[in-house]
Amino acid sequence: MTAATDPTPDPSPGPAPNAGTADGRPFRLEFAAVSDVGRVRKDNQDSGYAGPWLLTVCDGVGGAARGDIASSTAVQQLRKLDEEPALGLVDDDLIGLVSHALHMAHDEIGHLVDHDPTLNGTSTTSTVGLFDGSKLTVGHVGDSRAYLLRNGAIHQVTHDHTFVQTLLDEGRITEEEAKTHPHRNLILKALDGTRELEPDLFIVDLAAGDRLMFCSDGVCGYVDDPRIADILATGTPEYAAVELVRVSLDSGSTDNVTCVVADVVPSDTVPSAGLEAQMVGAAAELKRRTTKTGQMTALFRGHRMGDTGELDPIDEEIPDGAIAADPEEMRYALQAPAKYLKLRWAFGLLTLLGVVWVAAATAYVWSQNQWYIGEQDGNVTIFRGVPTTMIGLDLSEPYQTSDLKVDDLAETYQNQLEDGIHSKDLAGAQEKVQSLADQSAADAGSGS
């Protein structure tokens, strides 16, 4: 196995190693880790870890398949790397350690799925850095990221394994188009215990004064690189990590947000008081306080995007084209003779009921030759009829319920199911459900 070329530019070689240190390691790390469930999600599926020899962020994928279990399982395996590496290890040795740890995490997730089929489809991204006192060995799968801030300039160390990134690499879309692409969350690689694992593995040489940042896409998906650089250039690692999470949420992040920050400092400097390994997110099994309604509260409170729950209700606006009757005109309108008034009302009512009955009967007969795919009790279901009601008459009923969970589908398909996906016949509906199941399996293995 050979080391890949360091993908980050080296603006300056940095100061010479401290050859006089007791163990010959020139640098050590000052670190901090923060994770927040965010303002939209009810569960935190991110996991993070920061220690003297290891930094990692894992972002769980799977929805109902419990991405939090995948990310926490991965971090529990990867944290075993947080031991002082033996002196004299060459690059291939260090890459071998990281590769082995990632494969162990990958296999452990596979074992969990084998024992509990309800976890089928769970997976996690993973970005991990093993520090040996002078350089960082990076292993990367998915779209979590590692950054390096050196001399005020920020460099993205990792390369996203996403569908949109491939489009960017091929020059088919621009950076601006990538931010709003409908498939921007489609991941091509992840730890899932099923497919062959091919992580990116490479070495990054470090210099005193470098600052490292690992994050889930809840950060980098909502805060641009210049803003990240501004924040990383200030304060302690803990301050920078907290500020990055806060800014991500204030920027509208709808995801869980996890950030690990570490400074590369000379090994002969005095460590900060209370510096200990930190595990955050799903892996830490944080016991959050609950509100009176039993819902989890986030570390960073604030209004959710689009939430208008604080506004007083208002009357419905008058539709365009509506005309208010003139009371004086109504007062002087011609009136029907009193003796015929009741009879005319009765005849009119019977006529109206007859028309309604014929229309309803015709609509019902027509509807029974219609098919659509919708949702019932969280499952993708084939309905006979049309997704609506007419004059209180339900024009559809469940015909066939599948085992496919709506939460397992991509957001695009979930939105389509809300309106109903129409089909010309039952066979076509069944084929569409199978297509959704196939797409869900593909997305669960390769996308978030």
Side-chain angles (χ1 to χ4, degrees):
M1 181 181 300
T2 58
T5 303
D6 180 354
T8 61
D10 188 2
S12 68
N18 298 334
T21 56
D23 61 0
R25 302 183 195 271
F27 311 125
R28 64 175 184 82
L29 297 180
E30 290 273 332
F31 50 83
V34 177
S35 183
D36 191 79
V37 68
R39 297 172 181 170
V40 175
R41 304 289 180 90
K42 66 178 181 179
D43 298 314
N44 194 347
Q45 299 199 13
D46 287 359
S47 294
Y49 181 89
W53 307 104
L54 183 74
L55 309 172
T56 186
V57 167
C58 297
D59 183 353
V61 181
R66 301 295 302 276
D68 55 334
I69 292 180
S71 71
S72 59
T73 298
V75 165
Q76 291 289 357
Q77 286 291 322
L78 295 172
R79 67 178 295 197
K80 297 175 183 178
L81 284 174
D82 192 23
E83 297 181 355
E84 184 175 359
L87 287 171
L89 292 179
V90 298
D91 290 355
D92 281 357
D93 295 332
L94 294 168
I95 285 179
L97 289 174
V98 173
S99 177
H100 177 72
L102 285 170
H103 278 85
M104 290 294 292
H106 182 71
D107 293 343
E108 183 62 25
I109 293 172
H111 294 327
L112 291 176
V113 174
D114 289 342
H115 286 87
D116 185 356
T118 64
L119 298 178
N120 186 38
T122 189
S123 61
T124 183
T125 70
S126 184
T127 301
V128 56
L130 174 63
F131 177 66
D132 74 342
S134 64
K135 54 185 175 289
L136 193 73
T137 304
V138 178
H140 172 67
V141 178
D143 66 346
S144 297
R145 290 183 180 178
Y147 288 87
L148 169 67
L149 184 75
R150 175 175 294 173
N151 297 333
I154 192 169
H155 313 286
Q156 183 179 329
V157 175
T158 53
H159 194 71
D160 293 349
H161 298 142
T162 62
F163 174 68
V164 165
Q165 185 63 54
T166 63
L167 298 180
L168 279 169
D169 294 342
E170 296 168 1
R172 296 167 59 184
I173 61 173
T174 65
E175 290 283 356
E176 286 302 313
E177 290 172 335
K179 294 177 182 179
T180 57
H181 195 282
H183 299 305
R184 62 188 177 276
N185 294 324
L186 183 59
I187 297 175
L188 303 182
K189 290 185 180 181
L191 304 182
D192 60 8
T194 58
R195 296 171 301 168
E196 183 176 356
L197 180 63
E198 297 180 353
D200 292 346
L201 298 163
F202 53 90
I203 302 290
V204 178
D205 291 322
L206 299 175
D210 285 348
R211 174 164 280 188
L212 299 163
M213 194 272 282
F214 288 51
C215 67
S216 62
D217 65 339
V219 176
C220 53
Y222 296 87
V223 185
D224 59 23
D225 287 1
R227 183 69 174 124
I228 291 176
D230 288 343
I231 297 171
L232 286 178
T234 59
T236 64
E238 181 178 14
Y239 172 86
V242 171
E243 186 68 3
L244 279 167
V245 172
R246 184 190 68 78
V247 170
S248 300
L249 296 176
D250 288 347
S251 298
S253 179
T254 57
D255 205 348
N256 310 136
V257 183
T258 301
C259 187
V260 172
V261 178
D263 284 346
V264 179
V265 300
S267 57
D268 56 0
T269 58
V270 178
S272 300
L275 186 64
E276 296 180 350
Q278 301 170 35
M279 184 180 296
V280 295
E285 298 180 351
L286 295 177
K287 295 182 179 180
R288 298 184 182 274
R289 292 181 297 175
T290 59
T291 64
K292 291 181 179 180
T293 60
Q295 296 176 339
M296 292 195 303
T297 58
L299 295 175
F300 297 83
R301 299 182 181 181
H303 299 301
R304 296 182 180 181
M305 297 296 290
D307 187 359
T308 58
E310 295 79 13
L311 300 178
D312 294 330
I314 61 174
D315 293 334
E316 191 172 67
E317 294 183 355
I318 299 175
D320 293 340
I323 300 175
D326 181 351
E328 289 300 308
E329 180 181 347
M330 295 300 295
R331 177 185 299 180
Y332 294 109
L334 294 176
Q335 303 295 316
K339 65 178 181 178
Y340 297 116
L341 187 59
K342 291 183 179 179
L343 181 60
R344 293 184 64 177
W345 271 106
F347 179 80
L349 181 60
L350 288 174
T351 301
L352 176 62
L353 290 176
V355 171
V356 170
W357 184 89
V358 170
T362 301
Y364 182 79
V365 172
W366 171 82
S367 72
Q368 297 312 291
N369 292 317
Q370 308 300 312
W371 302 88
Y372 75 95
I373 304 166
E375 179 268 347
Q376 184 182 50
D377 298 330
N379 288 68
V380 175
T381 302
I382 296 176
F383 289 80
R384 185 174 188 171
V386 290
T388 185
T389 58
M390 181 179 293
I391 316 179
L393 179 63
D394 192 356
L395 298 181
S396 69
E397 61 180 0
Y399 183 84
Q400 189 175 71
T401 301
S402 73
D403 295 328
L404 180 59
K405 297 293 184 182
V406 173
D407 289 343
D408 291 344
L409 300 177
E411 185 176 356
T412 300
Y413 295 124
Q414 293 185 28
N415 293 336
Q416 292 179 7
L417 285 175
E418 291 180 0
D419 298 325
I421 302 175
H422 294 269
S423 178
K424 62 180 181 180
D425 53 31
L426 176 59
Q430 292 171 334
E431 290 177 3
K432 181 61 177 177
V433 171
Q434 184 59 50
S435 175
L436 289 174
D438 294 340
Q439 185 64 43
S440 172
D443 288 350
S446 62
S448 54

